Amino acid sequence: MTLIKRVGKALAVIVVVLAVSGFAGHQYVNHVENQRPIVTLAKHSDKVLFFYRDDCPDCQAIFHQIYWHNAISHNIVLINMNQPQNRHYIQKYQLTSVPTLIHGKQRYTGSNQQRIKQIVGD
């Protein structure tokens, strides 16, 4: 077998492995997004609070960015507002829509990538 054929086969295998890994990772993040755990917040947390709904198109558009940032920095609390027991945060944080990020006195509602990076510290 020539070197070119070996390199070609090796590249093909790498591409397939990366594609499958990417798909599996995407599916996992979608699974996390659709979970509806009950969230209890610490009183003096320095984490970013990310309020979202798993059926919200704007939330879905930014969820992967938020999730992967949190996978690295561990500074975001994901709060799915479709969980009825999380809805008391609507009054506590005066939420009017999702997605909303709150970090200390900073607050942003929307899906602008640059504003999200400012809030989460990217």
Side-chain angles (χ1 to χ4, degrees):
M1 190 182 288
T2 67
L3 179 62
I4 293 174
K5 285 184 181 179
R6 279 191 231 159
V7 170
K9 284 185 179 186
L11 286 175
V13 168
I14 290 170
V15 167
V16 169
V17 167
L18 289 175
V20 169
S21 297
F23 178 75
H26 181 77
Q27 291 302 317
Y28 176 74
V29 174
N30 286 343
H31 168 73
V32 169
E33 179 181 9
N34 291 323
Q35 290 182 334
R36 297 180 180 179
I38 298 167
V39 176
T40 303
L41 299 175
K43 288 191 183 231
H44 302 290
S45 175
D46 61 343
K47 295 191 176 211
V48 176
L49 306 179
F50 175 51
F51 297 96
Y52 73 98
R53 291 177 58 106
D54 56 66
D55 57 357
C56 160
D58 286 339
C59 301
Q60 292 169 351
I62 64 170
F63 190 86
H64 283 253
Q65 174 190 2
I66 300 289
Y67 176 84
W68 289 114
H69 174 84
N70 191 50
I72 295 167
S73 65
H74 306 289
N75 70 334
I76 301 172
V77 179
L78 307 172
I79 307 164
N80 189 341
M81 298 308 291
N82 279 336
Q83 165 55 257
Q85 293 186 27
N86 289 340
R87 292 197 182 135
H88 67 279
Y89 294 123
I90 293 170
Q91 275 191 319
K92 181 174 181 175
Y93 291 98
Q94 300 172 346
L95 302 173
T96 57
S97 63
V98 291
T100 296
L101 293 113
I102 299 174
H103 187 218
K105 295 188 187 251
Q106 296 183 74
R107 176 188 202 98
Y108 174 68
T109 299
S111 57
N112 180 285
Q113 304 272 335
Q114 294 303 329
R115 286 290 290 132
I116 292 167
K117 286 180 181 180
Q118 290 173 345
I119 298 287
V120 299
D122 237 3

